[in-house]
Amino acid sequence: MPLIVQKYGGTSVGSVERIQAVAQRVCKTVKAGNSVVVVVSAMGKTTDGLVKLAYEISTNPNSREMDMLLSTGEQVTIALVSMALQELGQPAISLTGAQVGIVTEAAHTRARILHIETERVKRHLNQNKVIVVAGFQGITRTEELEITTLGRGGSDTSAVALAAALRADFCEIYTDVPGILTTDPRLVPEAQLIDEITSDEMLELASLGAKVLHPRAVEIARNYGVPLVVRSSWTDDPGTWVNSPTPRPRSLVNLEIARPVDDIEFDTEQAKVSMLRVPDKPGVAARLFGEIATQDVDVDLIIQSIHEGNTNDIAFTVMTPILKRAEAVAAAIAPVLRSHKAAETEEAEVMVQQNVAKVSIVGAGMIGRPGVAAKMFTTLAEAGVNIQMISTSEVKVSCVIDNADCDRAVAALHTAFEIEQDKENFTLPPSLPPSLPPSSPVRGVALDMNQARLAIRQVPDRPGTAAKLFGLLAEHNISVDMIIQSQRCHVINGVPRRDIAFTVARMDAQAAQKMLQQAAVEYGWGEVVLDSAIAKVSVVGAGMVGQPGIAATMFEALAHHQINIQMIATSEIKISCVVAQEEGVKALQAIHTAFGLAGSQSIQVPA
């Protein structure tokens, strides 16, 4: 008998009537010949109300007591849903996270799942019962049996983890929108439904603030090959399927914390083209990459650092065979970008570096774990490898290095992340490609208004600098998103120095700045600059590979609305731009329109 795990969010179970509707849907699924495990969240705004009560009692509530308090919300829901099922004649039993056997770390308010003891669930399933499980919560395996919660999006995580542990046929996430949309329908009502999407694309969109699925849930689905579908609680529409690759064999022990990196990739056929001191104004990136697209030059990584004075640096990598063509395009466009002829030797200078390589760590276990990137940088530093460019995404961290260092870097990374390096080594394939027409390389556009940018000026350009910097952030549990290392180099007292900029969650920004200011004094770094008034807008799509016009279209859309790009960072399936915070929504809407993603019908999000 097929086994389905269904998850219903707070809106879906927000009233007696909605709980009864959920019970009817579950019964319909059972009558179709399926075994069902149901995971539910707390009703409506219950969790918000409990948090409010806690802060009325204490300005700094104890984390253990917060878990004890917040876990009660789901307990109410599971009992009511189970009663509703029984009223319809369907045998059902409600189980808390502890009773269902969800064992977690002893980290209150943000625990990760270690394993799930499935014996009790399987026994009830064999008795043809529907099991109604409290999402968002678990229990420690210590003698004290402490109740823990999983943090934001915890019910999604509970559902997909149960599906993995029970080897369910698939997991359904029911929500208040019809599935995964091309962007936030509250900002763009014409956002349209995506029929299917890869788990890599979904990880990027989820991490960028698309609230339909939590990144941790997608991470588990990808790592264990769980078929995942997002559907509306209010209709019988098919929703959006999230396709995952065939997973590398992996134990269900230490389910959320084991092996964050699956593979090491490298490419020695790379070259870097940099344009130094281009004007810091709207339209510059659009002109450059518009010409690159016209000449059919396929670009890999693109970075634009923070401005210095009224100029900026833009760098990109290409495959070695097309370097001459890329260099010719950059040289031809450079005079157009210069503000006046007198500065020809200073503005829009084109620099080319051959004999570089790109080395990457790959895996869906990097989300919210700042120590993974830091470990990569430390490993390269200990191997004496200097990092020239950095690109980050939810499933990959890439570094551009000297070609001569590539073998040493790859060997060191294999050792550091305990990945076997032999001919029979399993290589994780890409997520299954969606069934899309070639005209749809971009799947979605996302806006993150909750980030801040930190920049450290004049950091020594030598092995170990990135390791030291991001190791410090990891020690303070501060996750970093975009990382940009400037291409412009200043030699001060005989030491070459560059600027490094990166984005962090806005709530972590001031603590990070204070910590880094202390480190700057100790290590001889320059000024630490914080800008909290930024927004990050991104396009995501597996079909962008080999499509040189995608970046140009995005940059041209921003230029058309006179939106200045402050930073650019890319991966194979994502292009992100930092813009001023007040221009974030306008940027999102402009880009969504530019890629023709709007549908003919407006999506209404229920209250």
Side-chain angles (χ1 to χ4, degrees):
M1 185 181 292
L3 172 60
I4 300 172
V5 176
Q6 296 182 337
K7 179 262 176 177
Y8 295 91
T11 307
S12 303
V13 291
S15 66
V16 168
E17 293 75 20
R18 290 182 176 180
I19 286 174
Q20 289 170 332
V22 164
Q24 289 171 352
R25 186 184 289 272
V26 172
C27 285
K28 184 178 177 181
T29 307
V30 174
K31 287 176 182 176
N34 302 292
S35 297
V36 182
V37 174
V38 179
V39 177
V40 294
S41 300
M43 294 175 64
K45 301 292 185 181
T46 298
T47 302
D48 292 342
L50 293 172
V51 171
K52 184 173 181 290
L53 280 174
Y55 279 90
E56 287 176 359
I57 295 290
S58 169
T59 56
N60 185 26
N62 177 275
S63 60
R64 177 193 182 277
E65 303 309 331
M66 284 297 288
D67 277 357
M68 186 68 74
L69 174 67
L70 298 184
S71 64
T72 63
E74 282 73 20
Q75 193 166 333
V76 171
T77 314
I78 58 173
L80 294 174
V81 171
S82 185
M83 290 175 191
L85 287 165
Q86 291 165 12
E87 283 296 302
L88 294 173
Q90 171 59 51
I93 184 170
S94 61
L95 297 175
T96 65
Q99 290 173 317
V100 86
I102 298 177
V103 179
T104 76
E105 304 170 300
H108 287 293
T109 74
R110 53 181 177 82
R112 289 184 178 270
I113 297 172
L114 297 177
H115 67 274
I116 301 178
E117 297 166 355
T118 57
E119 291 79 8
R120 185 173 184 180
V121 175
K122 290 176 178 176
R123 187 169 70 250
H124 289 306
L125 287 172
N126 289 335
Q127 296 167 355
N128 298 317
K129 292 179 183 176
V130 170
I131 296 96
V132 185
V133 179
F136 175 66
Q137 62 181 245
I139 196 165
T140 66
R141 57 182 166 193
T142 60
E143 290 182 6
E144 290 79 10
L145 299 177
E146 292 288 335
I147 292 173
T148 55
T149 62
L150 309 182
R152 190 174 69 83
S155 292
D156 288 354
T157 305
S158 300
V160 182
L162 274 165
L166 293 167
R167 306 194 187 282
D169 291 84
F170 56 91
C171 179
E172 299 177 322
I173 305 292
Y174 285 93
T175 182
D176 50 9
V177 291
I180 309 301
L181 303 173
T182 51
T183 195
D184 188 339
R186 292 166 297 187
L187 300 178
V188 183
E190 298 78 25
Q192 62 178 317
L193 179 70
I194 302 170
D195 292 333
E196 51 184 329
I197 191 170
T198 69
S199 57
D200 286 358
E201 291 170 320
M202 191 64 244
L203 276 168
E204 299 289 2
L205 288 172
S207 69
L208 291 166
K211 298 181 176 62
V212 178
L213 270 175
H214 194 273
R216 280 170 62 185
V218 186
E219 174 190 335
I220 297 169
R222 184 184 189 275
N223 284 341
Y224 290 93
V226 178
L228 193 59
V229 61
V230 181
R231 291 183 171 143
S232 169
S233 298
W234 324 115
T235 72
D236 291 323
D237 293 342
T240 304
W241 282 91
V242 181
N243 298 323
S244 293
T246 302
R248 176 195 291 268
R250 139 187 328 254
S251 170
L252 286 162
V253 177
N254 292 331
L255 191 146
E256 271 203 280
I257 64 172
R259 205 173 62 212
V261 173
D262 285 305
D263 203 5
I264 309 297
E265 297 178 351
F266 64 94
D267 182 357
T268 56
E269 292 290 315
Q270 293 255 324
K272 181 174 67 173
V273 180
S274 305
M275 295 192 69
L276 308 184
R277 295 178 293 277
V278 297
D280 182 33
K281 62 183 182 182
V284 170
R287 295 186 79 167
L288 172 60
F289 289 97
E291 187 62 29
I292 284 173
T294 300
Q295 299 299 321
D296 199 31
V297 174
D298 190 18
V299 172
D300 185 3
L301 303 181
I302 304 171
I303 68 164
Q304 177 182 305
S305 63
I306 55 169
H307 67 85
E308 184 174 329
N310 59 356
T311 65
N312 228 318
D313 302 336
I314 299 178
F316 56 92
T317 60
V318 295
M319 298 297 289
T320 304
I322 62 170
L323 173 60
K324 292 295 183 185
R325 201 157 85 238
E327 185 179 0
V329 172
I333 198 73
V336 181
L337 299 180
R338 292 172 185 143
S339 57
H340 48 82
K341 293 182 179 179
E344 284 188 6
T345 57
E346 297 177 2
E347 286 193 0
E349 177 189 358
V350 179
M351 291 183 61
V352 175
Q353 183 175 355
Q354 299 188 57
N355 301 318
V356 299
K358 182 178 72 171
V359 61
S360 310
I361 55 173
V362 184
M366 300 186 231
I367 301 163
R369 300 183 206 181
V372 178
K375 183 175 181 178
M376 179 186 192
F377 303 151
T378 299
T379 301
L380 294 178
E382 290 173 348
V385 177
N386 197 35
I387 299 170
Q388 300 178 22
M389 293 172 71
I390 299 169
S391 167
T392 57
S393 78
E394 291 306 320
V395 294
K396 185 178 289 189
V397 180
S398 300
C399 293
V400 173
I401 61 175
D402 192 285
N403 211 331
D405 295 333
C406 186
D407 288 348
R408 190 164 74 256
V410 169
L413 290 170
H414 272 97
T415 300
F417 289 102
E418 299 179 356
I419 296 172
E420 293 181 12
Q421 187 177 12
D422 57 43
K423 294 181 180 179
E424 297 181 0
N425 187 32
F426 181 97
T427 300
L428 191 70
S431 298
L432 301 176
S435 305
L436 282 175
S439 59
S440 304
V442 172
R443 310 310 317 285
V445 186
L447 176 66
D448 190 340
M449 300 283 279
N450 296 309
Q451 293 213 352
R453 180 182 63 213
L454 283 155
I456 308 178
R457 302 286 189 181
Q458 300 176 6
V459 174
D461 181 27
R462 58 189 176 209
T465 298
K468 195 173 295 178
L469 168 57
F470 296 104
L472 282 170
L473 292 166
E475 286 173 16
H476 289 77
N477 202 35
I478 296 173
S479 292
V480 175
D481 186 13
M482 295 172 69
I483 302 174
I484 309 291
Q485 182 171 275
S486 71
Q487 297 305 294
R488 200 179 315 186
C489 186
H490 298 281
V491 178
I492 301 173
N493 296 327
V495 178
R497 294 174 178 267
R498 302 182 190 273
D499 300 337
I500 293 183
F502 52 91
T503 58
V504 297
R506 191 170 295 153
M507 64 181 182
D508 292 331
Q510 289 188 337
Q513 183 188 31
K514 183 177 180 181
M515 181 265 293
L516 291 172
Q517 284 172 334
Q518 295 172 346
V521 173
E522 180 180 352
Y523 298 120
W525 299 341
E527 181 184 13
V528 181
V529 182
L530 170 63
D531 184 357
S532 295
I534 65 163
K536 184 181 75 172
V537 63
S538 307
V539 296
V540 174
M544 297 195 305
V545 178
Q547 300 266 356
I550 301 302
T553 300
M554 181 180 187
F555 302 154
E556 285 164 6
L558 297 175
H560 181 72
H561 289 79
Q562 289 298 300
I563 298 172
N564 194 36
I565 300 173
Q566 299 180 15
M567 290 170 66
I568 301 170
T570 69
S571 69
E572 282 89 341
I573 65 170
K574 180 176 68 174
I575 304 171
S576 296
C577 294
V578 169
V579 300
Q581 186 179 34
E582 65 269 16
E583 295 182 316
V585 173
K586 183 169 68 171
L588 172 78
Q589 294 167 340
I591 294 168
H592 193 268
T593 299
F595 285 105
L597 296 177
S600 57
Q601 295 181 333
S602 296
I603 301 291
Q604 300 296 323
V605 180

